[in-house]
């Protein structure tokens, strides 16, 4: 679910911020809203993210904080030859 580079970036971004609107995520990721919304929806359906609507804006946050621990662990690993 998070193997795509954009999804990985979104998860890391949300790990650094408690919650962000779709517009804020688009700005940080420098991507079009339709593309970001597509990836956000996939991660929401898989339970990685959760969202809440406030007026016209939708705010996303990590539903599974453990995902960050897994990402950090994988990034910290070194391959031994």
């Amino acid at each position: 679910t998070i193997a795509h580079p954009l999804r990985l970036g979104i998860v890391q971004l949300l790990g650094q911020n408690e919650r962000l609107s779709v517009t804020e995520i688009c700005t940080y990721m420098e991507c079009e809203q339709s593309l970001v919304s597509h990836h956000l929806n996939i991660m929401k359906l898989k339970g990685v993210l959760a969202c809440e609507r406030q007026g016209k804006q939708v705010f996303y946050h990590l539903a599974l904080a453990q995902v960050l621990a897994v990402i950090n662990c994988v990034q910290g690993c070194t391959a031994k030859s």
Side-chain angles (χ1 to χ4, degrees):
T1 302
I2 60 169
H4 189 280
L6 182 57
R7 293 181 201 162
L8 182 60
I10 291 169
V11 168
Q12 290 176 322
L13 180 63
L14 289 171
Q16 298 168 359
N17 298 276
E18 187 174 328
R19 70 182 196 141
L20 292 171
S21 70
V22 175
T23 303
E24 292 169 323
I25 294 169
C26 291
T27 300
Y28 279 112
M29 301 306 297
E30 297 179 350
C31 290
E32 293 182 21
Q33 183 173 344
S34 60
L35 179 63
V36 169
S37 292
H38 170 74
H39 289 288
L40 289 169
N41 191 44
I42 289 171
M43 290 190 287
K44 183 177 87 170
L45 289 172
K46 295 293 185 176
V48 175
L49 302 180
C51 67
E52 59 185 63
R53 180 176 293 277
Q54 288 185 340
K56 292 184 177 185
Q57 289 194 317
V58 178
F59 290 89
Y60 282 84
H61 62 274
L62 289 176
L64 293 175
Q66 300 89 335
V67 171
L68 280 176
V70 172
I71 291 170
N72 291 334
C73 180
V74 169
Q75 288 178 337
C77 292
T78 56
K80 295 185 179 184
S81 304

